[in-house]
Amino acid sequence: MTAAAAPPAASRTPAALRRALARPGTGALAGAAAVYLLFWIVAPPFRQFDSLATVLYQSSTLGIMAVAVALLMIGGEFDLSAGVAVVTSSLTASMVAFQFTLNVWSGVLAALVLSLTIGAFNGFLLVRTRLPSFLVTLATFLMLQGLNIAITKAVTGNVATDSISDMEGFPAAEAVFSSTLTIGGTHLRVTVLWWLGFAALASWVLLRTRFGSWVFAVGGDAAAARAAGVPVTFVRVTLFMTVGFAAWFVGMHHLFAFNTVQSGGGVGNELLYIAAAVIGGCLLTGGYGSIAGPVVGAFLFGMASQGIVYADWEPDWFSFFLGAMLLLAVLFNLWIRRQATRR
């Protein structure tokens, strides 16, 4: 009697392990562990709790945007204007409050309205024109970049806004957007708590609500989703407005952390937001990803940016390190997905 052939090695992979490998954030988590171990070994200051707090702070300002951008990417789109939109929000709040001698919360509210409007503009323009989000948001990026500098110069006579630290409402706004907490003798910026809170909320929406199912459906196949009754226009516009909200929040943090804003900032940050989401397992083609993955991706960037400083490496290598890290993370994620789906 002929002996039965042995099953392929891949088929003997436990189902639980395959499911774990198939999760979008698995590659990011492995990469973060490797980077953490690297800097733990080569940079003794990296091991201190105060250093970890600094890493978390660097991660949080990137991570809040990465959460919103990840949702947008899962929905099949991305936003190249997100970086300068953060600066637009800061500039608006500062100039409205200072030039009209208002309570700073008036500027904060004006900035929120503008940021949501920019997001809605991107979403509606995308839907109406059917142009790729690359072109739509690239145009918005260029317009905002020019407006930031031109309007700031026209209003303030300078490329930066005036300080608002002595204006009414500043202490309360600073407490919300840029305060520091002391936990066990370690100073932790409040943005870390906001980051984790936003991530938890976004994850719940994505995995536990009908809207989250719509996001996956629209990102996977918009035409099929529309045929199934999914409000594609509503989903896309809402996702762009979510990015606008995140840009407003991070912009408010920068404003109340530094009191003034440089009008030419933010350029290039949109690529970091997208990179953090991609490292976290989100696909540029849409329909696949998580929130936990980009959270880990942002933390990985925070470790890299501060770890290089603590290791006393040449800072000129920072961009190369980030690029190499992005490439390796994408390749590793691709390998993990192939292993997880192989039978």
Side-chain angles (χ1 to χ4, degrees):
M1 186 173 181
T2 306
S11 67
R12 294 197 297 266
T13 304
L17 179 58
R18 288 202 302 271
R19 287 194 298 269
L21 290 175
R23 291 174 180 171
T26 301
L29 187 60
V35 172
Y36 186 85
L37 181 61
L38 169 65
F39 287 118
W40 177 274
I41 294 172
V42 303
F46 188 79
R47 307 167 192 170
Q48 302 172 6
F49 284 112
D50 288 341
S51 299
L52 177 61
T54 303
V55 168
L56 288 173
Y57 169 59
Q58 294 291 335
S59 305
S60 66
T61 54
L62 170 65
I64 291 172
M65 288 300 301
V67 166
V69 169
L71 284 172
L72 182 63
M73 289 178 62
I74 294 170
E77 310 294 343
F78 59 97
D79 191 345
L80 291 179
S81 67
V84 292
V86 170
V87 178
T88 301
S89 176
S90 299
L91 292 170
T92 301
S94 178
M95 287 189 289
V96 166
F98 188 87
Q99 301 302 323
F100 294 99
T101 320
L102 300 173
N103 187 297
V104 295
W105 285 103
S106 300
V108 169
L109 180 59
L112 175 60
V113 172
L114 179 62
S115 295
L116 294 177
T117 301
I118 292 171
F121 171 80
N122 283 334
F124 277 116
L125 191 60
L126 174 78
V127 171
R128 295 299 181 186
T129 63
R130 299 182 183 272
L131 290 171
S133 55
F134 170 83
L135 293 177
V136 171
T137 59
L138 177 60
T140 307
F141 161 79
L142 294 173
M143 289 188 292
L144 290 179
Q145 183 184 15
L147 287 173
N148 286 349
I149 299 175
I151 294 180
T152 303
K153 282 185 176 181
V155 172
T156 69
N158 202 341
V159 295
T161 60
D162 299 286
S163 175
I164 61 171
S165 59
D166 58 348
M167 296 189 66
E168 183 181 359
F170 185 90
E174 184 184 32
V176 172
F177 297 107
S178 188
S179 58
T180 300
L181 309 174
T182 302
I183 302 176
T186 299
H187 300 295
L188 188 70
R189 297 299 287 265
V190 72
T191 50
V192 176
L193 302 183
W194 281 114
W195 170 40
L196 298 178
F198 287 145
L201 177 60
S203 186
W204 176 79
V205 169
L206 188 64
L207 301 177
R208 295 289 184 265
T209 68
R210 178 180 297 181
F211 183 81
S213 300
W214 290 348
V215 172
F216 280 112
V218 171
D221 190 332
R226 183 177 287 106
V230 175
V232 175
T233 298
F234 170 76
V235 170
R236 284 175 169 165
V237 172
T238 301
L239 291 176
F240 274 106
M241 291 181 71
T242 300
V243 175
F245 174 84
W248 165 77
F249 192 92
V250 175
M252 294 306 95
H253 165 69
H254 288 321
L255 173 60
F256 293 106
F258 303 107
N259 306 331
T260 63
V261 185
Q262 293 290 329
S263 59
V267 178
N269 287 346
E270 64 281 346
L271 300 180
L272 297 182
Y273 308 148
I274 294 172
V278 171
I279 288 175
C282 295
L283 298 182
L284 291 173
T285 52
Y288 182 85
S290 69
I291 298 302
V295 168
V296 176
F299 181 59
L300 203 156
F301 269 70
M303 285 192 294
S305 63
Q306 292 303 121
I308 288 176
V309 175
Y310 293 138
D312 199 25
W313 291 354
E314 176 57 52
D316 292 339
W317 287 94
F318 176 66
S319 294
F320 173 83
F321 185 85
L322 292 183
M325 183 174 62
L326 172 62
L327 179 60
L328 291 175
V330 171
L331 293 175
F332 189 59
N333 280 330
L334 178 63
W335 178 82
I336 283 180
R337 293 189 64 204
R338 287 177 177 173
Q339 295 301 312
T341 56
R342 184 179 297 171
R343 295 293 186 265

